[in-house]
C-alpha cells in the first residue's frame, strides 16, 4: 500500500517546499523505498506554459510533453526519477477537466460544486500516485496556507488522509521562523499562527520544518512543539544552506527527519546510503581543478528562476569535471549597448539559452559572433541554437538579413522557419512541439563523442526549426547538422568543425541533467571551457613581459 506525505507551506511563499520535498524523497530512496512526487498548484492557468518567465520562472518540460512547474526539475534532479503529466496539476487543469465532464453530461441532474466535485477531482489526481511500484508518494501543495485558492486542496488532503487512515498518511508543514534583528531574537509566532490556520480546517501537522537564517535554540523547538502540538523531535530546522541546495538532504538527515517519518508511517528504517551523494558534494564544494567562468546571455537574467535548469546543469558539468562553475549572467540587451568586449571579456564559455520573442536578439547574435570569432566554447540551446544559425548565415554564408520567421515573417532568408505541423495551430496553450523525441547523432561529431552513442532522446519546447532549404549552404561553409530527429528531417544539433567547441541543439538538455549524472553536452562544454581557460593562462604565461598578460595571469590563479 502506498503511504502519502503531504507538504504545505506557511507564512510566506518561496520557502523551498519543492527542494524540501525533493530532499525528503531522496532520503526515502536512499533508505530503499520507491518514491513518487507530485505538485498541486492553485492558480487558474491550465499549465504554466503560457506564463512569462518573469511571472513564473522556468517552465519545466517532462518527457511525456507536459509543461510544468519548475519544482519538478528539483524532483528529477534530486531523485533521478522521471516526472510526467500526473506529477503536476493546477486548479485550471482540475476545473477544465471537470467542466468538460459536466458538459459531457457526467453529472446529469446534479449541482457541480467545489465540495465534493473539485475536491474529488483533486483526490483523483493524488490517487494517480497510488501504484504497486510506489511505496511513498509525496504531494506538495503550492501557495501558502491562508490563501483563498489553496482551500480546496487543503480540504482534499484532509479527506485523503482520513480515508487512507492516520497511520498511512502524514502532514509536513514548512514554515518560516524569522530572526528579528532589532529584537535580536527568532520569532515563532508566525509559525504558530500558520499552524493555527491549518488546524481550523482540520489538518494537524505531524512534522514542522522551520526555515531559518540562524540556528534554532532548544527553547524555540520546545515552544513550537508545545503550541503546534508536534512532537519535539519533529520540529526540524532547515537553516539556509551555506553553499549549495544539494546540502539540504544532508542537513535534514542529520536531524533524522527521515527516520521519524518512516517510523510514523510504520515502515522499516533501512540503512541510509548517501555515499555517492557525499562524493558528489565533495566535488561540488571542494573541486580539485579550480574555477571556470561561463557567461549565460539571456533575456530574463534578472529573474533568478528563469533559467533554473540551465544553471543547475552548468553546475553539474562542473561536478563532472571536478571544477567550480561561476556564472556571469548577462542581459542580452546590455550587450546591444555596451558591446561584447566589455561584458564577455575573460569568460571561458558562452551559453545562449532558450527564449521567445525578438527582444534582446541582437545582443545574443553579437555574443555568438564573439564566441565564434574568438574561438570561445559556445553552447546554444533552442533559441540559442536558432540564433547561432542566424549569425552564421548572416556573417559567414553572406545571407544579409537572414532571420527567424518568428522575428520577421517576411524575411528574404528565413533560415529558421515555422515547423510545418505548427502552421495549423490556433491555440497557444500546450501546442508547441513538446516532450521527448529520439535523435540520431552523426559519427565523429562532438555531440556523438559526448554522448558516446548514436541515439539519444531529448525534450523539446519549440515551434520553429532550422529551414532545410539552407542546410547545404550552411554545411558548405562549415556549419553542419550533426543530430537529426529519427523520424524526419529535422535538425536537432548543429556544430562548427573549425572551432574548439561550438554546439547548438534544438532540444533542452538541461532538463535531463542531474548532480550525480551531468548531461553529456554540459559535461563536455565545461571540459572545453576548462581547456580554453588553461589556454588563456598559458598564453598569458608565455608573454611575461606583457603587462596585460600578467594581469590575465592573475585572473586565473
Ligand atoms: N522561440 C523559439 C521557438 O519557438 C525557441 C523556443 C525555445 O527556446 N524554447 O522555436
Amino acid at each position: 500500500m502506498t503511504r502519502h506525505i503531504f507538504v504545505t507551506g506557511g507564512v510566506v511563499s518561496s520557502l523551498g517546499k519543492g527542494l524540501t520535498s525533493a530532499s525528503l524523497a531522496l532520503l526515502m530512496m536512499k533508505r530503499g523505498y520507491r518514491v513518487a512526487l507530485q505538485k498541486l498548484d492553485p492558480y487558474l492557468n491550465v499549465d504554466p506554459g503560457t506564463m512569462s518567465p518573469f511571472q513564473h520562472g522556468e517552465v519545466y518540460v517532462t518527457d511525456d510533453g507536459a509543461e510544468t512547474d519548475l519544482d519538478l526539475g528539483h524532483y528529477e534532479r534530486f531523485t533521478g526519477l522521471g516526472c510526467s503529466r500526473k506529477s503536476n496539476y493546477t486548479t485550471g487543469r482540475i476545473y477544465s477537466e471537470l467542466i468538460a465532464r459536466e458538459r459531457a453530461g457526467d453529472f446529469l441532474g446534479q449541482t457541480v460544486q467545489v465540495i465534493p466535485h473539485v475536491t474529488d477531482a483533486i483526490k483523483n489526481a493524488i490517487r494517480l500516485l497510488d501504484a504497486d511500484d510506489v511505496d511513498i508518494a509525496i504531494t506538495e501543495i503550492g501557495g501558502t496556507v491562508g490563501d483563498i485558492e489553496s482551500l480546496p486542496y487543503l480540504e482534499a488532503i484532509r479527506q485523503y488522509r482520513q480515508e487512507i487512515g492516520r497511520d498511512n498518511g502524514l502532514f509536513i508543514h514548512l514554515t518560516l521562523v524569522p530572526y528579528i534583528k532589532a529584537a535580536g531574537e527568532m520569532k515563532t509566532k508566525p509559525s504558530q499562527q500558520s499552524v493555527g490556520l491549518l488546524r481550523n480546517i482540520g489538518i494537524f501537522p505531524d512534522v514542522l520544518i522551520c526555515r531559518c537564517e540562524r540556528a534554532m535554540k532548544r527553547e524555540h523547538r520546545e515552544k513550537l512543539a508545545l503550541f503546534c502540538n508536534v512532537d519535539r523531535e519533529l520540529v526540524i530546522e532547515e537553516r539556509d544552506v551555506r553553499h549549495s541546495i544539494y546540502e539540504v538532504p544532508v542537513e535534514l538527515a542529520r536531524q533524522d527527519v527521515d527516520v521519524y517519518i518512516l517510523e510514523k508511517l510504520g515502515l522499516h528504517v533501512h540503512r541510509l546510503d548517501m555515499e555517492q551523494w557525499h562524493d558528489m558534494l565533495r566535488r561540488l564544494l571542494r573541486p580539485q581543478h579550480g574555477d571556470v567562468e561561463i557567461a549565460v546571455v539571456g533575456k530574463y537574467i534578472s529573474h533568478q528562476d528563469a533559467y533554473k535548469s540551465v544553471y543547475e546543469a552548468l553546475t553539474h558539468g562542473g561536478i563532472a569535471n571536478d571544477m567550480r562553475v561561476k556564472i556571469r549572467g548577462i542581459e542580452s540587451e546590455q550587450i546591444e549597448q555596451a558591446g561584447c568586449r566589455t561584458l564577455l571579456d575573460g569568460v571561458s564559455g558562452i551559453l545562449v539559452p532558450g527564449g521567445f520573442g525578438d527582444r534582446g536578439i541582437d545582443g545574443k547574435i553579437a555574443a555568438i559572433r564573439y564566441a565564434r570569432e574568438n574561438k570561445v566554447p559556445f553552447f546554444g540551446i533552442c533559441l540559442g541554437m536558432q540564433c547561432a544559425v542566424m549569425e552564421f548565415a548572416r556573417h559567414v554564408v553572406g545571407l544579409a538579413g537572414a532571420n527567424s520567421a518568428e522575428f520577421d515573417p517576411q524575411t528574404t532568408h528565413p533560415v529558421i522557419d515555422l515547423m510545418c505541423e505548427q502552421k495549423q495551430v490556433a491555440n497557444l496553450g500546450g501546442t508547441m512541439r513538446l516532450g521527448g523525441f529520439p535523435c540520431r547523432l552523426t559519427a565523429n561529431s562532438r555531440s556523438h563523442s559526448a554522448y558516446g552513442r548514436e541515439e539519444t532522446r531529448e525534450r523539446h519546447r519549440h515551434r520553429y526549426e532550422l529551414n532545410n532549404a539552407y542546410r547545404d549552404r550552411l554545411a558548405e561553409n562549415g556549419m553542419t547538422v550533426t543530430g537529426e530527429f529519427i523520424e524526419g528531417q529535422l535538425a536537432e544539433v548543429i556544430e562548427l568543425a573549425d572551432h574548439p567547441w561550438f554546439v547548438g541543439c534544438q532540444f533542452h538538455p538541461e532538463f535531463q541533467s542531474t548532480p550525480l549524472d551531468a548531461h553529456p553536452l554540459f559535461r563536455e562544454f565545461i571540459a572545453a571551457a576548462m581547456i580554453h581557460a588553461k589556454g588563456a593562462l598559458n598564453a598569458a604565461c608565455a608573454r611575461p613581459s606583457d603587462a596585460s598578460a600578467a594581469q590575465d595571469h592573475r585572473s586565473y590563479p
Side-chain angles (χ1 to χ4, degrees):
M1 175 184 188
T2 306
R3 310 294 208 279
H4 286 265
I5 297 176
F6 299 101
V7 181
T8 55
V11 185
V12 290
S13 59
S14 304
L15 286 181
K17 284 195 297 286
L19 277 175
T20 305
S21 306
S23 301
L24 290 173
L26 173 77
L27 295 178
M28 305 293 158
M29 285 175 70
K30 296 293 180 190
R31 286 200 188 266
Y33 288 99
R34 297 163 305 172
V35 180
L37 285 139
Q38 182 185 52
K39 168 115 194 247
L40 305 179
D41 276 311
Y43 53 74
L44 281 169
N45 302 61
V46 171
D47 61 43
T50 52
M51 282 189 235
S52 152
F54 285 126
Q55 284 274 315
H56 185 270
E58 166 187 278
V59 172
Y60 189 78
V61 181
T62 57
D63 186 74
D64 65 350
E67 295 176 278
T68 70
D69 188 80
L70 56 81
D71 276 335
L72 273 71
H74 293 311
Y75 300 169
E76 291 203 355
R77 285 188 283 272
F78 277 70
T79 64
L81 295 171
C83 287
S84 70
R85 226 162 255 290
K86 53 183 185 185
S87 320
N88 192 197
Y89 271 81
T90 68
T91 299
R93 185 170 162 201
I94 298 272
Y95 270 76
S96 66
E97 289 176 9
L98 197 65
I99 291 168
R101 287 182 53 207
E102 185 275 332
R103 293 289 81 186
D106 281 13
F107 306 106
L108 270 192
Q110 296 177 45
T111 309
V112 181
Q113 293 178 296
V114 172
I115 299 173
H117 299 96
V118 171
T119 44
D120 280 353
I122 295 171
K123 285 193 288 180
N124 288 341
I126 297 169
R127 205 164 291 119
L128 292 176
L129 300 189
D130 265 347
D132 290 342
D133 60 351
V134 179
D135 301 314
I136 302 169
I138 302 179
T139 297
E140 175 193 344
I141 311 297
T144 308
V145 168
D147 296 345
I148 292 174
E149 59 226 33
S150 298
L151 279 174
Y153 291 94
L154 298 177
E155 172 60 12
I157 60 173
R158 185 197 66 75
Q159 291 181 15
Y160 204 95
R161 148 92 175 257
Q162 190 59 25
E163 283 165 15
I164 58 176
R166 294 189 62 78
D167 296 340
N168 298 319
L170 195 113
F171 293 120
I172 297 180
H173 190 54
L174 185 69
T175 177
L176 179 73
V177 180
Y179 175 78
I180 307 296
K181 241 197 220 141
E185 273 186 71
M186 286 176 95
K187 292 290 181 190
T188 59
K189 187 69 61 71
S191 300
Q192 293 176 42
Q193 287 176 343
S194 174
V195 171
L197 283 173
L198 272 177
R199 285 211 304 253
N200 275 345
I201 42 183
I203 292 178
F204 298 79
D206 302 280
V207 182
L208 266 195
I209 300 189
C210 307
R211 285 300 313 273
C212 45
E213 275 175 69
R214 306 188 171 208
M216 274 166 63
K217 294 198 187 114
R218 223 175 94 181
E219 68 194 62
H220 297 127
R221 284 179 200 254
E222 278 171 2
K223 203 167 174 184
L224 281 166
L226 183 67
F227 291 118
C228 300
N229 247 352
V230 174
D231 297 342
R232 206 173 43 170
E233 63 272 22
L234 289 176
V235 179
I236 306 291
E237 168 188 295
E238 193 182 307
R239 217 181 332 162
D240 296 352
V241 281
R242 250 166 298 167
H243 303 289
S244 162
I245 53 170
Y246 298 118
E247 292 174 275
V248 173
V250 177
E251 286 304 307
L252 292 176
R254 198 173 46 77
Q255 299 170 71
D256 282 338
V257 58
D258 49 333
V259 176
Y260 295 123
I261 289 175
L262 291 174
E263 282 172 351
K264 275 220 170 272
L265 292 172
L267 294 169
H268 186 75
V269 181
H270 306 291
R271 198 180 75 84
L272 180 65
D273 178 9
M274 292 285 278
E275 212 171 293
Q276 232 193 339
W277 196 264
H278 280 293
D279 181 50
M280 175 276 289
L281 278 180
R282 198 282 303 149
R283 275 177 291 141
L284 173 65
L285 304 177
R286 292 180 298 284
Q288 287 188 356
H289 302 306
D291 298 354
V292 76
E293 192 175 16
I294 302 293
V296 174
V297 181
K299 52 194 272 186
Y300 318 107
I301 295 290
S302 61
H303 191 295
Q304 65 167 3
D305 284 341
Y307 301 114
K308 190 99 205 156
S309 295
V310 169
Y311 295 153
E312 290 306 315
L314 284 169
T315 303
H316 305 157
I319 296 171
N321 285 285
D322 218 336
M323 23 183 9
R324 178 173 293 116
V325 173
K326 289 186 170 168
I327 294 168
R328 192 190 295 182
I330 300 172
E331 288 287 352
S332 50
E333 279 170 307
Q334 271 175 16
I335 293 194
E336 288 162 19
Q337 284 141 28
C340 289
R341 288 256 158 242
T342 333
L343 295 172
L344 294 171
D345 188 41
V347 296
S348 303
I350 297 173
L351 186 150
V352 178
F356 297 83
D358 65 356
R359 183 176 64 80
I361 289 295
D362 290 342
K364 291 187 178 196
I365 290 188
I368 295 167
R369 183 175 196 175
Y370 176 93
R372 181 176 57 75
E373 292 180 346
N374 293 287
K375 308 265 185 233
V376 181
F378 168 77
F379 194 7
I381 296 178
C382 206
L383 180 64
M385 172 241 191
Q386 297 176 355
C387 288
V389 173
M390 287 150 58
E391 190 281 319
F392 194 80
R394 286 181 195 177
H395 305 127
V396 180
V397 185
L399 303 173
N403 213 334
S404 164
E406 179 179 359
F407 313 129
D408 178 7
Q410 311 308 329
T411 175
T412 33
H413 293 297
V415 286
I416 303 294
D417 207 357
L418 191 63
M419 299 173 69
C420 246
E421 65 195 47
Q422 287 289 324
K423 295 198 171 136
Q424 324 304 330
V425 167
N427 280 346
L428 294 185
T431 54
M432 281 187 250
R433 179 173 185 249
L434 288 168
F437 293 97
C439 166
R440 182 169 297 120
L441 302 160
T442 312
N444 300 324
S445 61
R446 289 196 192 289
S447 30
H448 182 271
S449 74
Y451 282 94
R453 56 178 193 266
E454 229 163 67
E455 269 185 33
T456 181
R457 183 179 169 86
E458 294 283 357
R459 302 184 195 172
H460 298 71
R461 182 172 185 249
H462 63 117
R463 296 188 200 280
Y464 294 82
E465 62 172 332
L466 190 151
N467 184 343
N468 286 324
Y470 289 92
R471 259 201 208 199
D472 290 347
R473 265 181 286 177
L474 292 167
E476 281 156 19
N477 287 278
M479 177 176 272
T480 48
V481 172
T482 58
E484 197 167 37
F485 179 38
I486 283 178
E487 291 148 38
Q489 237 213 338
L490 196 155
E492 293 279 15
V493 188
I494 53 103
E495 293 182 21
L496 288 185
D498 181 24
H499 190 283
W501 208 90
F502 191 106
V503 176
C505 52
Q506 186 55 76
F507 47 76
H508 290 270
E510 69 272 25
F511 294 145
Q512 293 200 83
S513 188
T514 72
L516 295 180
D517 190 14
H519 188 284
L521 292 178
F522 277 91
R523 189 192 66 226
E524 292 310 305
F525 173 53
I526 298 301
M530 194 165 144
I531 293 169
H532 183 86
K534 276 202 188 118
L537 175 61
N538 290 343
C541 293
R543 288 181 275 115
S545 56
D546 183 334
S548 66
Q551 245 175 9
D552 276 350
H553 192 169
R554 279 201 299 276
S555 64
Y556 296 113

